[in-house]
Amino acid sequence: MHLTLLLSTVVVAAPLIYAFLGSTQTRAEAYTYPPRIAPGSGLVQNFQHAWQLGLGRMMLNSTWISLVVTVGKTALALLAALALVYFEFPWKGAVFFFILVTLMMPVPVRIVPLFNLAASLKLGNTYWALILPFLASATGTFLFRQHFMSIPHSLVDAARIDGAGPLRFLMKILIPMSWNTIGALAVIEFVYMWNQYLWPLLIISSPDKQVIQIGLKLLRSPEEAIQWGMVMAGSVMAIMPPLLLFLLLQEQFMHGFALSEEK
Amino acid sequence: MASKFKGRLLPFFLLLPTFVILTVFLYYPQIETFILSTYQVAFFGLRKTFVGIGNYLSLFQSPDYLYSVMVSLIFSGGVLLLSMSGGLGLALLLNKKIKGARIYRMALIWPYALSPAVAGLIWLYIFSPNSGVVNYALGTLFNIQPNWIGNPTLALLLVIFTAAWKQLGYNIVFYLAALQNVPGQVLEAATIDGANAFQRFWRVTFTLISPTTFFLVITDLVYVFFETFGMIDIMTAGGPVNATNIMIYRLYQDGFRYFETGLASAESAILFVMMVILTWIQFRIQRKWVYYA
Amino acid sequence: MSKRWLVGVVALAVLLSWSVVMMAGQAKPNQIKFFHAMGGSRIPVIERMVADFNATHPDIEVTAVFNGSYRDNLQKTIEATAAGDTKAIPNIAQIFDVGTQEVLDSGVFALAGNVVKQCIASMQDLNSKGQLNTIDQAKLGELEGFNTSNFIPAIVNYYRAKDGTLTSFPWNSSNPIVFYNKTIFDKFGITMPEKPTFQDIIDIGNKLKATGQFDKGVINWPNHSWFVEEWFAEQGQDLVNNGNGRQGRPSHLNFDSKAAKTLYNWWGTLVKDGLYTNPGFEAWDEADRLFLAQQDPIEITSTSEVTILARDAFNNGFEVGTAFLPVPDNNNRNGVIIGGAALWLPAKQGAQNLCDAATFSVWMSETAQTIRWHQQSGYFPVTTQALSVLQAQGTFKARPNLKTALDQLTETKDNSATNGARIGAFLKVRTIVEHGFESLEADIKGGMPVVQAVDTELKAIGTKADKAICDYQKSIGVNNPGCA
């Protein structure tokens, strides 16, 4: 049993270590055949080179848009869930359905007109183009809605008796009870934005607004032998933020998302 | 039912931002996709000719398109099989009380945070046919060096493996949670009834976690069909000879390389219909199995 | 407490007013975006050149943006221009030769010759009214000094519209040559003739294979349609019909020609005998790596790699030699297509940007810059003046590897085959050709006899390509009687 786990762990975790090793190799060391497995001497060089080639700026860009979207999406989802669970209004079912249907619309199935739309709104090559389409989410709304519905009625009634308005109720009661869900959503949304590839590939045309994933793609010069040392350094750089966030919020992720049944 | 707040206006404002974003950036382009798919467009609108279902007809008659549909099915089948069975197996192991379970868990789940593009880069590095460590080892030990990128079958296997590897952690998390929710008494009752380990697993555990299985099938399918784009772009760019040209990659090429925007919209529409069918299935099944605590 | 607050406010006020003064005093230079596809070690070369331009032209600030391969760059350029607003449009785009028909059809670009003329006219007009400042006067001088006939004819003729107007500024050109590992060749006593034939390559290949050191192959070139096109030109064969697409729109890819069969039978034999290593689909980088890691002693690739390859080979401890592109018959060398790319100016960027973009493009074609670009990259000098200077300096004598490319170019005959094809769907055709080779390789490795495999695949490629060519024309509303 331990053996299986150990073996699986090696298969799953080893590539990260190998990538890190690769990032230490200088240009010459990377060209040798048979391939070196021992660490090389180019660690600082490779990271510096990758950073200077624009990856530094792109890390900032990715961080910025991921943070903005995570915060924005969470906020919008909280508000929407508040409305759906604690209010009565006509057409509530239809509204919920309206939000639900967007689960069937991942980016690629609307990519061509989305591109045209961004172009006509003059959003080509802007941070807004990267942020706006992702600010609302069915997933977040569902998670919070489900979570809110699982909160005991007694608490809600007590708050109502206290005379708290809906927004105070949200801030003072709901949010403190939802940290697991918020944490889980934060991980999911941050990772999701950080890993965006197709949309930035299409809509961003200058390196000062480009995101890290596409930056990695551009590290490969089409006409020159691929510099694995630098590419691996860039990859390691790109992994760090989402990985760190994930490790930090691991518990919330496990409890807030997985243990509540689906969306 | 919890008592509600009063007010008709406030919920409207609470929902407004979500509504606006979803309408402008999701519903509008989605509808526009269908409209655009009935035109043959050159260069983003340079010329627009109405062709009705012409694009769809030419897609269904195109051997290349049908091939990419087949590739997508094989790709998703392979990834689901590997990732879910691996995920379930590892979750079962992790569910037991063993030393270091937390460390194992962390080590097995982390690829979730990895982007498909980076996963593709790293595995490309490892499996590089002429300079990668795998082929070096194989060459030294067995004197064979398979062409992982140049051989159509091997390239497909490589991307299946990479995609499954990356999604493994996700499946583990959900299966682990589901397993931890299986009530111990039910299993005990089964043992008392004389069921062996194998029967206990299939008839009790597997049945009880089947909602999770269905959920993961749907989420993993979405992942495989849409989110592996970066991986494919970096590892194989759809090749060799279209062997890894899944539908989304083909869509990208038709829409943004060759600028056949009408055709690409038709391809998007087809993918959307698939999504609808998938989601419909998921919600039908969910309604039967899931309850709110 | 309030005193500190007061000091803070005063400091802030001073800071703010200072920055306002600073900002107002400096007019920000005009931002010009230059989209290109020159990656890797060429990026710093371009950035230094751009920096020099910016320093000598203080009212213009050019930013070079690397977008990936030529295909990626073309895609990005069209997308950015489609995405509308002036902020996103690139002001100068490096488009490769085979994209020419497509970009002309797209209507997105202004013709370079016309832009220069209009800018000169409007600036001269201002000048005559005394309204032109010193900086712009210098620009006018530069633009007036631009002369299309300064470009090497074989190169510039590629980029002329039907009425002779220059469509874009030729910038980087190259042709394919053989690079070989001289150290290994010397070690085994093998020589590479200056002008090898197909048979020579097979013989040399077999000799190298017999040494037992190269079990995976001895020669490679990227699986890229460019090489196929060059081999067609060498055999005097037009790639497509209708005067290679220049007398009228093409409708047929000439893969049923004798030249095609000769080429592919040779290539197929190299595959069958285990002599050719396939680096991958358009995999220039992998081809280089195979050569530099000394896994393949022979590589055919672009002369633009001369500088980089020689340097990296030196660092890896071996010497590089070069030779002409191999041909079936040395008595019938027709010459090569002068491939490469040119600088195009999108039309919708506004008059001021157009003139600044034109200034940059003209500057890049000046003798000093042309020589510098050539020396630091390996691309050809595209102007006759630059070429004469380099020859006078004895560059080509000192660097024989550069001379090989130059000789191959100067010995090229001027006919429709070497002028290069004009195909709207060129990009798709290239993909079809490249996939076709992958199928061919699979067939041969699977045991099919070379001749049969070649026949099958050539037919398949031809059919698919013809359809792509005609579909493209239909989609832009052109009715070609040659198309079914």
Side-chain angles (χ1 to χ4, degrees):
Chain A
M1 193 181 344
H2 264 271
L3 189 63
T4 325
L5 275 177
L6 210 61
L7 219 64
S8 322
T9 312
V10 167
V11 173
V12 173
L16 180 60
I17 303 171
Y18 190 63
F20 185 71
L21 279 175
S23 71
T24 63
Q25 296 184 345
T26 63
R27 215 182 145 98
E29 287 162 357
Y31 278 160
T32 54
Y33 188 82
R36 278 174 73 120
I37 306 197
S41 52
L43 179 60
V44 175
Q45 211 182 340
N46 283 335
F47 275 94
Q48 249 183 347
H49 198 193
W51 189 272
Q52 278 164 359
L53 269 181
L55 255 61
R57 176 67 195 236
M58 295 184 197
M59 290 282 283
L60 283 163
N61 290 338
S62 287
T63 310
W64 172 242
I65 60 165
S66 304
L67 280 177
V68 171
V69 167
T70 302
V71 168
K73 222 185 228 189
T74 308
L76 258 61
L78 279 168
L79 296 178
L82 178 68
L84 287 171
V85 176
Y86 293 106
F87 283 86
E88 278 302 337
F89 50 90
W91 301 107
K92 186 157 95 159
V95 168
F96 184 54
F97 188 70
F98 181 81
I99 300 180
L100 178 156
V101 165
T102 65
L103 281 177
M104 302 190 287
M105 304 179 192
V107 171
V109 302
R110 45 191 162 98
I111 191 78
V112 177
L114 185 61
F115 181 83
N116 290 337
L117 176 67
S120 55
L121 289 177
K122 303 265 192 261
L123 290 178
N125 202 36
T126 59
Y127 288 126
W128 284 119
L130 292 174
I131 292 173
L132 283 176
F134 297 101
L135 269 186
S137 145
T139 316
T141 311
F142 284 155
L143 268 184
F144 284 125
R145 174 178 181 267
Q146 191 166 317
H147 177 72
F148 289 171
M149 281 166 74
S150 73
I151 292 179
H153 311 312
S154 43
L155 274 171
V156 181
D157 293 336
R160 293 277 286 124
I161 291 171
D162 274 349
L167 288 174
R168 277 199 80 174
F169 178 60
L170 178 69
M171 304 291 294
K172 299 274 173 172
I173 310 274
L174 287 180
I175 290 185
M177 291 195 70
S178 314
W179 284 122
N180 274 346
T181 315
I182 292 178
L185 194 64
V187 172
I188 297 167
E189 298 303 350
F190 188 87
V191 169
Y192 179 66
M193 275 313 287
W194 186 267
N195 294 345
Q196 277 303 309
Y197 190 91
L198 178 58
W199 182 235
L201 178 66
L202 294 175
I203 200 67
I204 300 292
S205 47
S206 66
D208 64 337
K209 298 251 172 30
Q210 191 51 282
V211 301
I212 184 71
Q213 304 299 331
I214 306 298
L216 287 176
K217 176 181 157 117
L218 291 177
L219 276 183
R220 302 175 60 186
S221 159
E223 288 200 7
E224 232 174 83
I226 186 170
Q227 297 188 52
W228 280 119
M230 191 180 61
V231 172
M232 282 300 118
S235 305
V236 170
M237 248 198 272
I239 296 176
M240 285 298 129
L243 189 60
L244 284 171
L245 186 73
F246 178 70
L247 291 176
L248 274 173
L249 292 177
Q250 220 195 131
E251 290 305 324
Q252 281 84 345
F253 180 72
M254 297 283 294
H255 292 128
F257 192 52
L259 287 185
S260 64
E261 297 269 10
E262 286 96 34
K263 309 186 192 90
Chain B
M1 281 281 269
S3 64
K4 311 283 178 174
F5 286 100
K6 288 226 179 60
R8 298 275 176 100
L9 209 55
L10 190 55
F12 172 73
F13 281 113
L14 291 173
L15 285 164
L16 190 63
T18 302
F19 217 80
V20 168
I21 301 276
L22 291 181
T23 310
V24 172
F25 291 102
L26 274 77
Y27 273 95
Y28 167 68
Q30 192 56 63
I31 297 172
E32 185 67 18
T33 298
F34 281 102
I35 299 177
L36 207 54
S37 72
T38 58
Y39 284 86
Q40 196 170 42
V41 188
F43 288 122
F44 291 113
L46 179 71
R47 256 185 77 87
K48 246 166 126 173
T49 337
F50 182 74
V51 291
I53 56 170
N55 284 328
Y56 293 98
L57 285 178
S58 90
L59 281 176
F60 287 123
Q61 287 170 347
S62 151
D64 276 348
Y65 182 71
L66 296 172
Y67 187 69
S68 79
V69 174
M70 188 185 80
V71 169
S72 304
L73 290 173
I74 298 178
F75 182 56
S76 47
V79 172
L80 253 65
L81 195 65
L82 263 183
S83 206
M84 290 183 69
S85 56
L88 181 55
L90 287 169
L92 282 169
L93 289 176
L94 285 172
N95 200 24
K96 318 230 191 252
K97 293 213 179 0
I98 43 171
K99 273 207 312 192
R102 287 197 68 169
I103 304 179
Y104 279 126
R105 208 179 60 187
M106 200 145 66
L108 284 168
I109 293 177
W110 79 269
Y112 167 73
L114 198 57
S115 73
V118 175
L121 264 179
I122 296 183
W123 284 105
L124 184 66
Y125 180 48
I126 295 177
F127 272 91
S128 186
N130 295 312
S131 59
V133 67
V134 164
N135 266 10
Y136 173 61
L138 287 177
T140 322
L141 292 173
F142 303 112
N143 209 26
I144 49 159
Q145 290 196 325
N147 191 353
W148 299 104
I149 304 292
N151 177 311
T153 321
L154 291 179
L156 187 55
L157 283 176
L158 180 60
V159 295
I160 289 179
F161 173 73
T162 307
W165 174 84
K166 198 195 113 44
Q167 193 66 347
L168 197 62
Y170 191 77
N171 289 317
I172 292 178
V173 164
F174 281 90
Y175 268 136
L176 197 54
L179 287 173
Q180 285 171 355
N181 271 343
V182 171
Q185 308 104 301
V186 183
L187 283 169
E188 275 170 31
T191 320
I192 293 172
D193 276 352
N196 61 31
F198 188 72
Q199 286 169 321
R200 275 207 309 274
F201 174 72
W202 278 110
R203 292 176 143 250
V204 181
T205 314
F206 193 74
T207 320
L208 284 177
I209 60 172
S210 54
T212 306
T213 302
F214 276 114
F215 168 72
L216 286 174
V217 166
I218 305 292
T219 354
D220 285 354
L221 275 175
V222 173
Y223 161 74
V224 157
F225 267 90
F226 298 108
E227 289 169 45
T228 50
F229 177 82
M231 198 182 284
I232 304 260
D233 192 32
I234 288 208
M235 292 182 102
T236 59
V241 207
N242 294 325
T244 58
N245 205 3
I246 56 175
M247 290 164 82
I248 175 66
Y249 201 77
R250 210 203 130 84
L251 199 166
Y252 163 73
Q253 285 180 327
D254 283 340
F256 295 95
R257 274 263 202 253
Y258 303 123
F259 301 110
E260 297 178 74
T261 33
L263 196 68
S265 299
E267 295 179 57
S268 297
I270 293 176
L271 280 170
F272 175 73
V273 169
M274 285 175 50
M275 280 302 296
V276 170
I277 296 177
L278 268 183
T279 317
W280 181 81
I281 295 177
Q282 179 187 17
F283 273 86
R284 292 293 302 209
I285 305 288
Q286 238 188 292
R287 219 165 265 165
K288 287 213 289 184
W289 291 95
V290 175
Y291 54 93
Y292 291 110
Chain C
M1 179 58 174
S2 60
K3 224 195 201 150
R4 255 192 268 164
W5 184 84
L6 193 62
V7 171
V9 168
V10 170
L12 195 61
V14 169
L15 206 67
L16 273 172
S17 39
W18 174 73
S19 55
V20 166
V21 169
M22 288 297 290
M23 295 288 277
Q26 281 173 347
K28 203 151 180 256
N30 194 15
Q31 303 289 309
I32 296 290
K33 280 202 289 257
F34 170 33
F35 276 14
H36 68 91
M38 308 277 85
S41 44
R42 295 188 190 123
I43 294 182
V45 173
I46 293 184
E47 293 197 343
R48 281 195 296 265
M49 288 179 83
V50 162
D52 284 349
F53 176 83
N54 291 342
T56 52
H57 298 74
D59 63 326
I60 309 178
E61 186 178 335
V62 175
T63 319
V65 178
F66 170 62
N67 279 318
S69 65
Y70 279 132
R71 282 194 202 242
D72 288 337
N73 196 38
L74 177 58
Q75 179 183 334
K76 245 314 158 235
T77 302
I78 295 193
E79 275 168 24
T81 42
D85 73 306
T86 26
K87 276 193 289 141
I89 297 181
N91 306 99
I92 310 162
Q94 177 198 26
I95 312 278
F96 58 161
D97 44 10
V98 300
T100 306
Q101 186 63 61
E102 196 179 326
V103 302
L104 283 174
D105 287 337
S106 77
V108 159
F109 295 91
L111 296 186
N114 290 341
V115 171
V116 172
K117 253 194 267 171
Q118 278 158 8
C119 290
I120 291 179
S122 63
M123 280 205 266
Q124 277 175 343
D125 180 57
L126 286 174
N127 200 20
S128 62
K129 297 192 196 139
Q131 289 173 1
L132 204 64
N133 65 42
T134 17
I135 293 182
D136 283 337
Q137 278 174 353
K139 260 196 265 180
L140 178 58
E142 260 183 314
L143 286 174
E144 284 173 333
F146 176 70
N147 193 344
T148 311
S149 53
N150 193 21
F151 288 112
I152 294 177
I155 297 176
V156 78
N157 287 339
Y158 199 100
Y159 297 105
R160 284 195 192 274
K162 276 221 188 90
D163 63 357
T165 315
L166 186 70
T167 56
S168 45
F169 301 90
W171 182 38
N172 55 309
S173 285
S174 65
N175 58 56
I177 56 175
V178 166
F179 292 85
Y180 65 96
N181 188 328
K182 206 148 183 293
T183 313
I184 288 185
F185 269 57
D186 288 344
K187 176 165 166 211
F188 291 112
I190 307 178
T191 34
M192 172 71 75
E194 224 184 273
K195 298 187 185 179
T197 62
F198 279 359
Q199 191 56 49
D200 285 334
I201 297 292
I202 294 183
D203 293 338
I204 293 176
N206 285 327
K207 275 194 217 139
L208 284 166
K209 192 138 192 268
T211 67
Q213 269 196 349
F214 308 102
D215 46 353
K216 290 225 310 188
V218 307
I219 182 173
N220 75 63
W221 58 89
N223 176 16
H224 195 298
S225 173
W226 185 62
F227 296 92
V228 173
E229 296 153 28
E230 294 284 2
W231 269 308
F232 266 59
E234 281 279 23
Q235 298 177 74
Q237 172 67 51
D238 281 357
L239 188 66
V240 287
N241 61 354
N242 287 342
N244 222 0
R246 287 168 175 272
Q247 278 162 13
R249 291 215 184 234
S251 57
H252 176 68
L253 186 71
N254 295 328
F255 262 48
D256 43 1
S257 59
K258 179 162 166 291
K261 290 205 180 76
T262 313
L263 167 66
Y264 277 87
N265 276 317
W266 171 69
W267 199 355
T269 311
L270 289 174
V271 170
K272 176 150 167 302
D273 293 348
L275 297 175
Y276 173 78
T277 319
N278 182 357
F281 184 87
E282 298 196 357
W284 303 88
D285 50 356
E286 181 61 12
D288 280 349
R289 201 205 55 78
L290 283 166
F291 181 68
L292 288 170
Q294 306 205 53
Q295 287 175 273
D296 279 346
I298 313 175
E299 183 192 357
I300 302 181
T301 189
S302 159
T303 57
S304 65
E305 311 244 16
V306 154
T307 315
I308 302 166
L309 276 180
R311 182 194 67 208
D312 283 343
F314 179 72
N315 287 337
N316 272 16
F318 67 94
E319 210 192 317
V320 171
T322 52
F324 274 41
L325 189 66
V327 293
D329 174 9
N330 255 334
N331 293 327
N332 271 325
R333 274 188 185 265
N334 191 40
V336 288
I337 307 172
I338 187 66
L343 304 178
W344 291 76
L345 308 179
K348 280 208 246 165
Q349 54 180 300
Q352 177 63 48
N353 286 342
L354 268 174
C355 291
D356 284 346
T359 308
F360 178 72
S361 310
V362 163
W363 182 82
M364 285 295 254
S365 73
E366 287 172 8
T367 308
Q369 277 70 257
T370 307
I371 292 180
R372 180 178 175 185
W373 176 237
H374 159 75
Q375 284 175 333
Q376 293 187 354
S377 69
Y379 278 111
F380 259 175
V382 294
T383 60
T384 42
Q385 250 178 10
L387 200 54
S388 333
V389 171
L390 285 164
Q391 277 172 323
Q393 286 177 351
T395 312
F396 297 106
K397 279 214 200 78
R399 296 176 67 184
N401 291 338
L402 285 176
K403 189 161 187 303
T404 311
L406 180 65
D407 288 344
Q408 195 168 243
L409 179 64
T410 41
E411 291 178 25
T412 294
K413 307 194 184 124
D414 180 24
N415 48 47
S416 60
T418 58
N419 281 335
R422 278 273 173 90
I423 312 172
F426 217 141
L427 290 190
K428 251 212 168 135
V429 169
R430 277 198 160 172
T431 309
I432 293 172
V433 169
E434 289 151 7
H435 280 172
F437 174 72
E438 288 175 339
S439 294
L440 179 73
E441 197 188 19
D443 288 345
I444 295 178
K445 290 214 170 130
M448 207 190 278
V450 172
V451 176
Q452 182 189 348
V454 166
D455 272 345
T456 321
E457 294 304 338
L458 285 184
K459 230 178 265 162
I461 294 174
T463 318
K464 282 200 198 132
D466 289 354
K467 181 167 187 303
I469 293 173
C470 291
D471 280 351
Y472 170 86
Q473 290 169 15
K474 260 189 235 141
S475 81
I476 59 166
V478 162
N479 196 352
N480 187 343
C483 280

